[in-house]
């Protein structure tokens, strides 16, 4: 039996070419690593994807099957996500930098479920951020920051309330706004409409931005990643404008937050939408 898969050539990477390999030509490969692990030398030349049992897609490093840190076969639900993950592996140069492979990390989390949580527990954890949402906590002074928060945060907060027909509000109290139970119920129902994989990505975005409101804006394509990251760092950017910053450190923090947030949002879309996304990615 033959399986089709895409081949990514070497470190420098030429255009992927379509190949056919028989099932018995592949062998198993068990990669144990932690996202906290720094780096290791690249040990493969080619990265490929192949379709296995049940229609799931696998990642192969020199024809050896990738596995999760928990020892499971690394499989993803669709071709578009498989291509995206394979691209992460192929983009690594002489040294593997696992901390840059956010899509791989999210897949590992969804597959291994290391905290053994179900969807309801994940949603509860995600909604906890609503009680301390970045855009809901306001300052009383200085005047410049008060106005900046009002002008930049109020529109996205109002959009969210109108979009989901809920009341969230904002407060300068240390206790934060009093979120109505009806709002929590509505947002819980919305989050429950996502599958386990998509919810994994959604929660990841929320934890990066410390905001349910901004995360909803990104996933619903109301905000770009750049806009949401800037809004999540509004107070920091204000302080930098007033007092200056360590340039390289500031830039690194922003780029890293954008990368993680982008990966989370892409993960949600690739695991929750139809094959239309896959076809568009293939065309691009």
């Amino acid at each position: 039996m033959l399986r089709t898969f895409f081949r990514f050539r070497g470190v420098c990477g030429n255009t992927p070419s379509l190949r056919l390999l028989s099932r018995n030509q592949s062998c198993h490969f068990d990669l144990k690593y932690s996202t906290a692990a720094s780096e290791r030398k690249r040990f493969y030349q080619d990265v490929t994807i192949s379709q296995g049992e049940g229609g799931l897609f696998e990642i192969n490093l020199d024809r050896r099957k990738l596995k999760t840190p928990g020892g499971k076969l690394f499989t993803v639900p669709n071709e578009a996500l498989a291509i995206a993950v394979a691209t992460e592996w192929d983009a690594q140069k002489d040294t593997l930098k696992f901390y840059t492979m956010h899509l791989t990390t999210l897949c590992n989390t969804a597959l291994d479920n290391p905290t053994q949580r179900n969807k309801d527990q994940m949603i509860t954890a995600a909604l906890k951020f609503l009680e301390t949402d970045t855009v809901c906590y306001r300052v009383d002074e200085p005047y410049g920051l008060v106005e900046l928060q009002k002008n930049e945060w109020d529109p996205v907060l109002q959009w969210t309330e109108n979009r989901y027909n809920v009341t969230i509000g904002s407060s300068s109290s240390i206790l934060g706004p009093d979120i109505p139970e009806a709002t929590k119920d509505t947002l819980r129902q919305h989050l429950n409409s996502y599958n386990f994989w998509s919810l994994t990505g959604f929660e990841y975005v929320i934890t990066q931005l410390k905001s349910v409101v901004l995360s909803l804006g990104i996933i619903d394509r109301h905000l770009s990643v750049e806009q949401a990251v800037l809004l999540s760092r509004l107070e920091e950017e204000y302080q930098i404008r007033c007092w200056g910053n360590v340039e390289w450190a500031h830039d690194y923090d922003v780029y890293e937050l954008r990368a993680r947030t982008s990966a989370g949002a892409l993960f949600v879309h690739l695991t929750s939408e139809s094959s239309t996304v896959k076809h568009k990615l293939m065309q691009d």
Side-chain angles (χ1 to χ4, degrees):
M1 179 178 179
L2 298 180
R3 293 183 299 171
T4 303
F5 67 100
F6 291 88
R7 180 174 182 268
F8 295 79
R9 299 175 187 267
V11 176
C12 295
N14 298 322
T15 303
S17 61
L18 193 62
R19 298 180 57 195
L20 293 175
L21 285 184
S22 62
R23 183 180 297 271
N24 58 15
Q25 282 180 284
S26 61
C27 59
H28 291 276
F29 174 65
D30 189 358
L31 176 64
K32 292 280 190 177
Y33 73 89
S34 165
T35 53
S38 298
E39 301 174 350
R40 66 169 293 183
K41 183 177 176 60
R42 176 164 173 157
F43 51 87
Y44 56 90
Q45 288 297 315
D46 296 328
V47 184
T48 62
I49 67 169
S50 55
Q51 191 168 16
E53 296 180 3
L56 298 176
F57 287 83
E58 304 163 0
I59 310 298
N60 308 288
L61 307 179
D62 289 340
R63 304 183 185 181
R64 294 173 293 183
K65 296 181 184 297
L66 182 64
K67 287 192 176 183
T68 71
K72 294 181 179 178
L73 181 63
F74 189 103
T75 58
V76 298
N78 59 62
E79 191 174 36
L81 181 56
I83 293 173
V85 171
T87 301
E88 276 191 336
W89 285 87
D90 190 56
Q92 303 300 305
K93 303 303 181 182
D94 294 333
T95 302
L96 301 180
K97 299 180 179 180
F98 296 120
Y99 51 85
T100 67
M101 302 169 71
H102 306 302
L103 291 174
T104 300
T105 298
L106 286 166
C107 290
N108 283 330
T109 301
L111 288 165
D112 284 344
N113 190 14
T115 56
Q116 297 300 303
R117 295 183 302 165
N118 57 34
K119 278 184 59 176
D120 187 61
Q121 291 170 318
M122 293 172 67
I123 292 171
T124 297
L127 290 179
K128 281 285 185 182
F129 281 91
L130 190 61
E131 301 169 4
T132 57
D133 200 290
T134 297
V135 303
C136 295
Y137 273 81
R138 306 298 174 88
V139 297
D140 292 321
E141 57 180 356
Y143 176 78
L145 182 55
V146 171
E147 286 299 296
L148 185 63
Q149 289 180 340
K150 178 180 179 181
N151 293 335
E152 299 296 332
W153 283 349
D154 279 1
V156 68
L157 185 58
Q158 291 169 3
W159 173 86
T160 304
E161 291 180 327
N162 293 335
R163 167 72 174 82
Y164 293 98
N165 193 26
V166 296
T167 300
I168 299 176
S170 62
S171 173
S172 59
S173 167
I174 193 172
L175 299 177
D178 185 15
I179 308 295
E181 287 301 318
T183 295
K184 296 178 183 178
D185 290 342
T186 297
L187 294 181
R188 176 178 293 275
Q189 183 177 359
H190 173 70
L191 291 178
N192 194 48
S193 67
Y194 289 89
N195 61 50
F196 184 85
W197 280 66
S198 300
L199 198 56
T200 298
F202 212 133
E203 186 184 16
Y204 183 75
V205 175
I206 292 172
T207 59
Q208 299 309 310
L209 300 176
K210 306 297 187 293
S211 172
V212 174
V213 173
L214 295 178
S215 299
L216 289 168
I218 289 180
I219 302 304
D220 281 352
R221 297 186 174 92
H222 176 69
L223 296 173
S224 68
V225 169
E226 290 78 9
Q227 288 173 320
V229 166
L230 181 60
L231 289 172
S232 75
R233 294 173 49 87
L234 201 61
E235 186 170 352
E236 294 171 82
E237 296 296 332
Y238 175 83
Q239 297 296 342
I240 288 170
R241 190 184 310 168
C242 293
W243 307 107
N245 67 292
V246 179
E247 185 174 353
W248 67 267
H250 168 261
D251 292 344
Y252 179 81
D253 289 344
V254 172
Y255 292 147
E256 275 296 294
L257 184 55
R258 284 179 181 172
R260 293 192 297 270
T261 304
S262 296
L266 178 61
F267 189 83
V268 173
H269 291 306
L270 290 182
T271 55
S272 63
E273 296 190 349
S274 68
S275 58
T276 301
V277 174
K278 177 183 70 175
H279 289 209
K280 185 177 187 305
L281 181 58
M282 293 294 292
Q283 291 171 358
D284 293 342

